[in-house]
Amino acid sequence: MQKTELSAPAHFIRQIVANDLQSSKHNGNVVTRFPPEPNGYLHIGHAKSICLNFGTALENNGKCNLRFDDTNPEKESIEYMESIKRDVAWLGFEWTRLCHASDYFEQLYQYAVDLIKQNLAYVDSLSAEDIRLYRGTLTQPGRESPDRNRSIEENLDLFSRMRAGEFADGQYVLRAKIDMASPNINLRDPAIYRIRRVHHQRTGDAWCIYPMYDYTHCISDAIEGITHSLCTLEFEDHRPLYDWVLDKLQTPCHPQQIEFARLQLEYTIVSKRKLNQLVTEKHVSGWDDPRMPTIAGLRRAGFTPQAIKDFCERIGITKQNSWIEMGVLEYCIREDLNTNAFRAMAVLNPLRIVITNYPDDKVEQLEVSNHPQKEAYGKRIVPFSKTILIERDDFSENPPPKYKRLIQGEEVRLRGAYVIRCNDVIKNDADDIIELHCTYDENTLGKNPEGRKAKGVIHWVSQAQSLPAEIRLYDRLFTVPQPDNEDNFLDVVNPHSLQILRDCRVEASLHSATLENRYQFERTGYFCLDLDSTCDKLVFNRTVTLRDNGEKD
Ligand code: ATP
Ligand code: MG
């Protein structure tokens, strides 16, 4: 991990804001907003925008609003709004105001009337298809609609009747009158209102006309007194329209739109529409499936707000679109969990060991520290007994060179307990190993054996006291780094992205595991409790392996 390359502490937006503060450009204020459309759950790309918007406000003693850009009611819902609020709050940010574009429907309407009165907007009866044809192309100028020169009076009348519901959906649109020959297609008389009879999750059936995104966004920003309107690069070509609307309407303030590159993360998709498809077509169990790059999915997988914020800071803010390696996100969560996760032992694929020289009914309560570097995390009790379970692949009959785990005739240390030696391998008729018979050296608790050293350390649980658990291991959701570039991203969904291990055993202390805690299961990775857990069966998700090459420590 090359930290220097990734961290960009003084990115260009921080510089712009610092300069503006110095020159008192916006009267010394910094007001930003995070403006999601509530048509899906937030994803890791949104986290970048959230960290930037809320972070910019926090760093400058400013304000940041959470604004729902809710002008497309057919795709939006209260469920999505609730999830967005939950996710922003979970990341640790507090909005100054909770706003909705729909709060401004009346003002937006009056501003449109204002444009009509200035002869800067007209009601057009061209069909959607004709509007597209008339618009021209990058090489050809557009053509003016026959309705472009409708009188102001007639436009005012038609627009008020659009609102009153006198016309069918699609019969008319209101268009800004700008320049059909502009090299910027966004300025060729864009539609700013359309007729759409859909129930709105907040305004109900009060409106049958809805304002378009570009028109709504700049005015909403101005109404809220936003100083820096931070958005992604695809809106760069829309900035002239943003500025045109605000200039013509002489709104009380004129926010400054600044564009930055979208986050694109390898092996994932960051588009609500496509994520929605994964959910509705059941490629995943829901928006919060731990394989999803949504905030809810990352949370369920065990990611922490700190790791996500660290990631957003590390990738920096630039104007160049680029793909970020998954390893960067994994690095951030490992850093956090290595420092903060409780240690515990879990055996994913158990193999029984009988310690033949250990007393039959004895159970020792060993004290094991919860974190090797953090004394404050204290110790827990781990029971030790005659029958224990180890990981099946921590024993080998044909060990490769440098194998540091258990082999017949050799010794290994059990983490936090004794050194054992494997004497016999017990098999069934089918030649499968059923158990190992070992002996332990009672003088090796917390110290090396006399005159020799056990080669490796393996983890274990006591069979009788351990708890049954299901452990879910996740892999990338897509088989190629840039699934978005495929003809159909569904063709490259990884069919092996979820592996469920149903016969795992975890140490007894995990009966008190909580959804908030994170655990390092010794040698197998970082885990968290899943909300599918019940009293009878614990379910854990693997957040990430211990190392990025999957190598064990
Ligand atoms: P999607 O295609 O996922 O719906 P969007 O841009 O349409 O993305 P919005 O709900 O409009 O989603 O986004 C809210 C804010 O988050 C916008 O300012 C948008 O620019 C920003 N945003 C969305 N995706 C990303 C991303 N991948 N990287 C950075 N910012 C993003
Ligand atoms: Mg959108």
Side-chain angles (χ1 to χ4, degrees):
M1 177 68 39
Q2 291 175 316
K3 288 189 188 179
T4 44
E5 238 181 39
L6 288 163
S7 61
H11 60 68
F12 77 101
I13 293 182
R14 282 195 175 124
Q15 265 155 15
I16 293 175
V17 172
N19 293 345
D20 289 349
L21 280 173
Q22 211 165 23
S23 67
S24 294
K25 180 164 178 188
H26 303 278
N27 299 322
N29 293 325
V30 174
V31 186
T32 57
R33 83 288 169 266
F34 171 63
E37 180 180 356
N39 61 347
Y41 279 59
L42 297 181
H43 52 62
I44 184 75
H46 292 114
K48 176 176 179 178
S49 175
I50 293 169
C51 290
L52 176 63
N53 279 294
F54 283 92
T56 301
L58 277 171
E59 286 162 22
N60 295 291
N61 231 338
K63 296 175 177 163
C64 181
N65 295 343
L66 172 59
R67 182 198 316 141
F68 290 110
D69 167 27
D70 55 348
T71 54
N72 255 323
E74 57 268 70
K75 293 194 180 139
E76 299 163 2
S77 74
I78 298 281
E79 179 205 339
Y80 292 144
M81 288 195 185
E82 292 305 316
S83 77
I84 289 169
K85 286 194 268 180
R86 188 163 59 237
D87 290 347
V88 173
W90 179 75
L91 282 173
F93 295 112
E94 279 179 45
W95 44 89
T96 311
R97 286 172 53 202
L98 181 65
C99 309
H100 308 79
S102 57
D103 297 338
Y104 315 130
F105 278 171
E106 185 60 40
Q107 278 158 288
L108 288 159
Y109 178 84
Q110 295 304 338
Y111 275 124
V113 170
D114 187 349
L115 284 182
I116 296 174
K117 286 182 178 163
Q118 295 185 59
N119 201 14
L120 292 173
Y122 59 98
V123 174
D124 196 352
S125 61
L126 281 186
S127 66
E129 173 63 10
D130 281 340
I131 289 187
R132 204 178 53 76
L133 291 174
Y134 274 63
R135 188 176 295 135
T137 64
L138 286 174
T139 48
Q140 278 185 326
R143 276 183 295 144
E144 295 188 354
S145 161
D147 289 347
R148 199 173 198 262
N149 295 316
R150 211 190 272 290
S151 71
I152 293 176
E153 290 65 36
E154 202 182 338
N155 280 321
L156 287 172
D157 175 57
L158 284 172
F159 189 49
S160 75
R161 289 164 61 196
M162 279 170 65
R163 175 180 184 166
E166 288 187 28
F167 308 118
D169 286 15
Q171 195 176 341
Y172 288 108
V173 290
L174 183 71
R175 297 177 71 176
K177 194 188 278 191
I178 310 181
D179 179 4
M180 287 309 289
S182 171
N184 183 339
I185 293 183
N186 295 301
L187 295 181
R188 294 185 190 168
D189 292 9
I192 58 177
Y193 264 93
R194 63 204 166 122
I195 307 175
R196 210 37 142 255
R197 281 180 181 70
V198 235
H199 186 83
H200 188 281
Q201 65 272 13
R202 293 188 72 247
T203 58
D205 297 314
W207 294 88
C208 63
I209 56 172
Y210 290 100
M212 305 296 284
Y213 175 84
D214 280 327
Y215 172 75
T216 309
H217 198 81
C218 52
I219 296 178
S220 306
D221 279 350
I223 291 173
E224 290 173 23
I226 302 300
T227 56
H228 300 84
S229 179
L230 312 177
C231 64
T232 35
L233 280 181
E234 68 273 21
F235 290 104
E236 199 162 19
D237 288 347
H238 298 235
R239 188 173 358 119
L241 176 55
Y242 185 104
D243 289 332
W244 182 91
V245 173
L246 297 186
D247 283 343
K248 299 300 177 199
L249 291 172
Q250 306 213 334
T251 47
C253 84
H254 190 136
Q256 178 181 359
Q257 174 176 310
I258 307 169
E259 308 86 16
F260 64 96
R262 286 178 90 83
L263 167 67
Q264 296 172 290
L265 184 61
E266 284 188 350
Y267 296 97
T268 61
I269 291 272
V270 279
S271 147
K272 278 179 281 177
R273 184 179 61 77
K274 289 180 180 171
L275 294 176
N276 196 350
Q277 215 178 330
L278 289 172
V279 174
T280 47
E281 295 178 19
K282 300 206 179 337
H283 295 279
V284 293
S285 64
W287 284 98
D288 69 346
D289 186 302
R291 290 165 294 178
M292 289 281 271
T294 51
I295 309 280
L298 290 166
R299 174 170 59 231
R300 186 161 178 187
F303 279 75
T304 59
Q306 196 43 53
I308 294 173
K309 288 193 270 194
D310 180 26
F311 170 75
C312 292
E313 183 61 30
R314 239 166 233 288
I315 57 174
I317 300 290
T318 68
K319 272 200 175 273
Q320 275 81 46
N321 278 318
S322 64
W323 286 84
I324 304 292
E325 284 176 35
M326 194 56 139
V328 182
L329 181 59
E330 292 177 351
Y331 173 86
C332 294
I333 186 64
R334 280 193 192 101
E335 283 276 290
D336 183 0
L337 297 183
N338 184 37
T339 312
N340 296 312
F342 290 92
R343 270 46 174 178
M345 290 195 281
V347 175
L348 276 47
N349 185 11
L351 171 63
R352 189 166 60 230
I353 287 188
V354 178
I355 302 173
T356 52
N357 61 340
Y358 195 85
D360 281 353
D361 299 323
K362 185 172 173 182
V363 179
E364 272 179 272
Q365 306 294 347
L366 304 180
E367 275 204 331
V368 181
S369 90
N370 285 327
H371 193 294
Q373 283 91 40
K374 290 200 162 185
E375 243 173 73
Y377 275 37
K379 296 190 170 189
R380 66 192 190 280
I381 299 294
V382 180
F384 185 81
S385 69
K386 188 181 179 78
T387 307
I388 62 164
L389 303 169
I390 66 163
E391 215 63 76
R392 209 158 255 278
D393 66 5
D394 278 346
F395 172 77
S396 176
E397 283 187 291
N398 305 299
K402 297 196 184 154
Y403 188 74
K404 288 223 186 78
R405 298 174 256 165
L406 191 59
I407 53 182
Q408 193 165 7
E410 297 286 342
E411 287 184 321
V412 81
R413 172 172 289 286
L414 297 173
R415 171 81 81 204
Y418 300 96
V419 169
I420 56 168
R421 174 188 302 278
C422 176
N423 303 311
D424 293 301
V425 180
I426 315 298
K427 296 186 172 180
N428 63 11
D429 293 344
D431 214 32
D432 303 320
I433 302 174
I434 0 176
E435 63 184 30
L436 304 176
H437 287 180
C438 297
T439 45
Y440 84 118
D441 180 341
E442 64 177 331
N443 295 316
T444 54
L445 188 61
K447 56 179 197 257
N448 278 326
E450 296 275 328
R452 57 196 205 283
K453 199 168 181 288
K455 264 195 273 170
V457 184
I458 62 173
H459 60 276
W460 56 278
V461 295
S462 169
Q463 177 171 272
Q465 290 80 15
S466 64
L467 307 169
E470 174 178 309
I471 292 185
R472 300 175 183 170
L473 306 180
Y474 301 98
D475 200 350
R476 297 171 167 153
L477 191 48
F478 294 96
T479 54
V480 300
Q482 301 179 2
D484 254 332
N485 293 347
E486 298 293 312
D487 290 340
N488 182 356
F489 73 104
L490 295 174
D491 293 343
V492 290
V493 171
N494 176 4
H496 309 295
S497 56
L498 168 62
Q499 189 189 354
I500 302 180
L501 305 176
R502 294 198 163 81
D503 302 313
C504 313
R505 305 287 301 194
V506 300
E507 65 170 67
S509 74
L510 289 167
H511 79 270
S512 60
T514 65
L515 290 173
E516 288 71 38
N517 282 339
R518 304 287 186 273
Y519 302 92
Q520 184 195 93
F521 289 169
E522 303 260 0
R523 304 173 64 241
T524 54
Y526 294 101
F527 293 80
C528 70
L529 197 67
D530 188 82
L531 39 91
D532 286 343
S533 289
T534 62
C535 306
D536 301 328
K537 192 180 71 179
L538 297 170
V539 179
F540 288 94
N541 295 318
R542 181 157 71 189
T543 312
V544 67
T545 54
L546 291 183
R547 307 242 169 96
D548 63 0
N549 54 10
E551 176 195 304
K552 294 189 170 187
D553 74 346

